[in-house]
Amino acid sequence: MKAIIVDDEEPARNLVREFLSAHRNIEIIAECANGFEAVKAVTEQYPDIMFLDIQMPKLNGFEVLELLDELPAVIFVTAFDQYALKAFEVHAADYLLKPFTQERFTEALNHALKQFEHNKHYSVKNLLADVKPESEIRERILIKEGSKVLVIPVEKIDYIEAQDDYVSLRVEGKSHLKQQRLSLLEEQLPKHMFVRIHRSYILNIERIAKIELLAKDSRAALLKNGTTLPISRTGYEKLKEML
Amino acid sequence: MHPILSERKRIFIYLSVWIGLGILFSFVLKTLSAIPAAYAAVIALPMFVVLSQLNLSAWFLAKVFPPDKSELWKLFSALAVSTLLISGIWGMLCWGWVTLLERYFSVQLFSEKTAVQFGIVVLISAQLYLLSVGLSYFFMTFETSRTAERNALELQLLAQNAELKALRMQINPHFLFNSLNSINALISRNPEKAREMTTLLADFFRKSLQFGAKEMITLGEEVSLLNNYLAIETIRFGSRLTIEQNIEPPALAVRVPPLILQPLLENAVKHGIADSLSGGTIRISAEQKNEQVFVVIENPVDDDGMKKKGIGLGLENVRRRLQTVFHDTADLQTYREGSTFRTLVYFPMNNIFAEQ
């Protein structure tokens, strides 16, 4: 069994390490001090169990999970009990409240082992699918490229294009792929900044240079960087409402 | 309890007024009915003492039918019934009393006792009763508004105290839980450090309680609390947290509200250290300049285009406390300079609490 420990406080990591030492069958393959390291470690080393703090700099525990394709069994370790409900929504094996005893730790570990046995052949992506359609407005979009995590503030996005199962975000002259449906992303973006101008495009309205009439009922948006994007009839209606 | 009967002085004044009315009535009686003054007084004075007692009931009527809560028709019917009753009874008593006196002294005081005379007696008492009711209402309203005013004042004081208490006790519970977890972790690996952290934590809470109970403390006391807090956070965050302090000794004497800087420092640690991958340096400085003490707390901020949530509330609370205590002679200001976030608080050196 392989485990990783994710916590930004060293003493907290030490405690988990110490409590784990009583369980010979579990090997600690990584200790991570933040979410970025955690995503990298999980992607590269495929642990079976993850001890995950929630409140961490830049990338919190929930965001780490969102970025992972394959989830290990997760035990949240946190001083914040207001996240307990959300933890169960993301199918956490257990939820340890700091400070905790060795007994409580072992209990949580057993829950995780049980969940691990259960889910061995079950696609974790499906589990997450129940959770993902949360449509809370985001201030930033998280993208995983390999084992690296990019954090993109939404205002830096020029436009987003749908590409099969992916969306391609155009940011500062570069494209970034993210596995998500365009309609879901549309719900998560701030309404005052982004408009779905076409079946395949969401546009940051601040990037518009002008709107060109190509033919009757056929328009295109010319962006400040020179790109031209098609605008559908309903897209134009929405755009007109906003501008 | 009847307001008049509740105090000896009031009973005396009340009776004096009625006896005065009785004397007045005696003169009227003497003049109109040509009765000798002594007889008129013997008739009128006892009867007015009786009437004074009957009229005490006016206050109960006013109490049972408060003007703002009673239906008008009920109030007026009660008033009519009680007026008839009181003046009727008094009229009968007067009649009886005169008859008794005539028999006892074997004199004829009134040539004839007519219905008109009885009517006049009843009318006089009815008027006096209505006057009593009116005065009862007047005093009741007066009393009510005075009580309401006092209650409002007390409530305001209470709310202010409660607010101050709540504002003082805004120490973050997560700080406690995370610290306890650090102790939990240190116990086996580094018992010495665990012991140190336990003592630091105990000191921190002892000081918070001790200072929090006071109206004012010295800046020196506040700084000792801040150092205690920072020592704990240094164990938690390790190399991520560095501290620089530059506090001029003269500034330490200024009197400040307790735990006024602690939330600011906690903010600085949260945004500058806990939310940052690599951590940084927290700088605290205090200096006295022109009868004012300036305290500055600096923390690094990452410029990654992300908005930070939760900055507002803690600062707003501190600002409101300063306003409550110092009005316009103290304030809190924040600046962002590149990757440094700076919080400035200034206090008046000789404030109203200085001599305490």
Side-chain angles (χ1 to χ4, degrees):
Chain A
M1 287 288 221
K2 294 182 291 181
I4 78 164
I5 305 169
V6 186
D7 198 309
D8 64 325
E9 293 175 25
E10 199 200 345
R13 291 197 300 274
N14 289 340
L15 184 67
V16 174
R17 176 176 281 278
E18 187 193 327
F19 282 176
L20 266 180
S21 66
H23 302 267
R24 293 281 153 100
N25 55 333
I26 294 170
E27 177 204 356
I28 299 166
I29 55 167
E31 271 190 36
C32 310
N34 58 59
F36 298 99
E37 288 178 28
V39 172
K40 188 171 189 302
V42 173
T43 312
E44 289 171 356
Q45 305 184 56
Y46 305 103
D48 306 311
I49 297 172
M50 171 157 61
F51 294 90
L52 184 59
D53 186 14
I54 294 177
Q55 198 83 15
M56 290 184 294
K58 306 290 176 240
L59 211 56
N60 71 34
F62 293 113
E63 289 168 330
V64 168
L65 293 189
E66 189 193 314
L67 285 165
L68 296 174
D69 303 317
E70 298 284 330
L71 280 187
V74 175
I75 298 172
F76 282 113
V77 186
T78 176
F80 297 74
D81 53 358
Q82 70 259 40
Y83 292 128
L85 253 172
K86 197 170 176 196
F88 285 106
E89 283 173 13
V90 295
H91 302 272
D94 210 331
Y95 189 82
L96 280 174
L97 274 176
K98 292 173 183 174
F100 45 86
T101 61
Q102 172 92 59
E103 287 74 31
R104 181 69 188 85
F105 180 84
T106 306
E107 190 186 312
L109 186 62
N110 288 335
H111 283 158
L113 293 176
K114 212 180 283 173
Q115 197 193 58
F116 176 71
E117 286 304 314
H118 262 269
N119 294 346
K120 228 175 195 169
H121 309 290
Y122 188 70
S123 164
V124 187
K125 227 27 188 181
N126 286 345
L127 272 179
L128 261 190
D130 307 344
V131 188
K132 275 207 166 163
E134 56 180 330
S135 53
E136 60 186 70
I137 302 298
R138 305 290 176 91
E139 287 175 354
R140 51 202 202 157
I141 301 293
L142 304 174
I143 290 175
K144 191 162 75 87
E145 287 182 348
S147 57
K148 242 181 72 198
V149 174
L150 293 176
V151 178
I152 300 174
V154 290
E155 60 268 21
K156 288 196 176 163
I157 300 173
D158 296 335
Y159 63 91
I160 302 155
E161 185 181 358
Q163 290 184 352
D164 301 324
D165 286 345
Y166 289 86
V167 289
S168 162
L169 284 74
R170 191 76 186 171
V171 183
E172 290 169 346
K174 283 188 215 139
S175 291
H176 304 281
L177 280 182
K178 182 179 170 70
Q179 194 179 21
Q180 193 172 27
R181 278 177 298 118
L182 193 66
S183 53
L184 183 60
L185 193 58
E186 185 188 358
E187 283 174 36
Q188 293 175 342
L189 290 168
K191 302 276 175 288
H192 62 274
M193 205 185 289
F194 290 91
V195 189
R196 179 95 175 247
I197 54 160
H198 186 269
R199 191 164 40 87
S200 307
Y201 293 99
I202 295 174
L203 177 62
N204 183 343
I205 56 170
E206 282 165 22
R207 301 294 191 274
I208 298 175
K210 72 178 188 197
I211 294 171
E212 291 177 326
L213 184 67
L214 301 178
K216 192 181 180 314
D217 279 341
S218 168
R219 291 180 172 83
L222 180 65
L223 307 195
K224 286 170 184 162
N225 65 8
T227 316
T228 311
L229 298 178
I231 303 176
S232 68
R233 204 138 49 98
T234 48
Y236 182 63
E237 294 297 320
K238 280 190 246 172
L239 208 54
K240 234 176 24 185
E241 219 169 279
M242 291 198 56
L243 300 172
Chain B
M1 187 67 185
H2 198 293
I4 289 172
L5 301 181
S6 64
E7 269 182 46
R8 215 171 264 214
K9 202 174 108 195
R10 287 186 192 168
I11 299 177
F12 181 74
I13 294 170
Y14 182 72
L15 276 178
S16 311
V17 168
W18 280 100
I19 287 171
L21 284 171
I23 291 169
L24 198 73
F25 187 68
S26 309
F27 277 108
V28 174
L29 208 59
K30 179 184 151 255
T31 323
L32 291 184
S33 309
I35 295 173
Y39 280 116
V42 171
I43 296 171
L45 292 182
M47 286 325 292
F48 266 77
V49 171
V50 169
L51 188 59
S52 76
Q53 299 306 301
L54 288 174
N55 271 4
L56 284 174
S57 68
W59 187 79
F60 293 106
L61 180 96
K63 186 138 176 112
V64 174
F65 296 95
D68 50 335
K69 285 178 202 144
S70 321
E71 289 172 58
L72 222 53
W73 69 272
K74 272 190 190 164
L75 197 156
F76 276 111
S77 7
L79 194 59
V81 169
S82 56
T83 308
L84 276 177
L85 211 66
I86 298 282
S87 47
I89 289 171
W90 196 63
M92 302 290 256
L93 284 173
C94 286
W95 188 290
W97 178 237
V98 170
T99 314
L100 204 72
L101 284 175
E102 283 179 334
R103 273 220 201 127
Y104 189 78
F105 293 107
S106 308
V107 284
Q108 177 106 34
L109 292 173
F110 295 91
S111 46
E112 47 182 322
K113 295 189 255 304
T114 61
V116 176
Q117 282 175 332
F118 182 74
I120 290 171
V121 166
V122 167
L123 218 62
I124 288 172
S125 69
Q127 299 253 348
L128 288 172
Y129 180 72
L130 287 174
L131 190 70
S132 300
V133 173
L135 284 174
S136 297
Y137 273 125
F138 175 74
F139 281 113
M140 209 172 74
T141 316
F142 179 70
E143 197 69 23
T144 314
S145 73
R146 215 171 55 172
T147 317
E149 218 169 280
R150 202 171 40 218
N151 282 350
L153 217 72
E154 265 169 28
L155 265 178
Q156 203 182 335
L157 262 175
L158 218 68
Q160 223 167 45
N161 280 342
E163 186 181 48
L164 281 180
K165 250 182 218 155
L167 290 174
R168 275 177 203 162
M169 283 314 290
Q170 57 181 314
I171 290 167
N172 188 351
H174 299 129
F175 165 68
L176 173 64
F177 294 134
N178 280 318
S179 303
L180 287 173
N181 196 56
S182 300
I183 293 174
N184 203 6
L186 289 168
I187 283 172
S188 54
R189 300 180 135 239
N190 192 344
E192 277 305 311
K193 203 92 182 156
R195 208 167 276 162
E196 187 194 330
M197 182 111 171
T198 311
T199 332
L200 282 172
L201 201 59
D203 281 346
F204 176 77
F205 278 96
R206 195 175 292 118
K207 280 178 190 165
S208 299
L209 290 173
Q210 188 191 337
F211 296 162
K214 293 183 188 173
E215 204 72 31
M216 284 286 182
I217 60 173
T218 62
L219 182 64
E221 287 174 309
E222 180 80 12
V223 166
S224 80
L225 182 88
L226 299 185
N227 284 334
N228 218 312
Y229 172 76
L230 286 173
I232 295 166
E233 295 294 60
T234 307
I235 295 177
R236 264 180 70 199
F237 290 112
S239 59
R240 284 164 70 197
L241 174 59
T242 324
I243 298 148
E244 278 178 23
Q245 260 189 35
N246 180 22
I247 294 173
E248 293 177 1
L252 293 174
V254 69
R255 299 195 76 92
V256 298
L259 277 65
I260 195 88
L261 299 177
Q262 198 274 337
L264 303 178
L265 188 62
E266 194 172 309
N267 236 350
V269 170
K270 180 175 184 329
H271 297 291
I273 310 298
D275 284 352
S276 143
L277 292 177
S278 52
T281 305
I282 304 265
R283 287 189 186 83
I284 307 173
S285 68
E287 60 173 337
Q288 187 194 348
K289 232 194 294 178
N290 307 330
E291 292 304 299
Q292 277 179 318
V293 169
F294 294 83
V295 179
V296 176
I297 298 174
E298 283 180 13
N299 63 272
V301 277
D302 277 356
D303 195 15
D304 53 7
M306 275 175 244
K307 278 181 216 146
K308 297 272 182 359
K309 287 172 192 161
I311 281 188
L313 195 68
L315 293 187
E316 199 42 51
N317 279 348
V318 171
R319 192 172 280 139
R320 274 180 50 202
R321 283 188 64 194
L322 287 173
Q323 182 89 57
T324 311
V325 176
F326 295 116
H327 305 289
D328 293 330
T329 56
D331 198 10
L332 178 156
Q333 287 160 9
T334 56
Y335 312 88
R336 168 96 189 250
E337 267 183 33
S339 59
T340 303
F341 189 80
R342 193 169 292 143
T343 310
L344 163 74
V345 190
Y346 62 86
F347 307 97
M349 189 68 199
N350 290 309
N351 55 63
I352 41 166
F353 299 94
E355 68 278 6
Q356 279 179 6

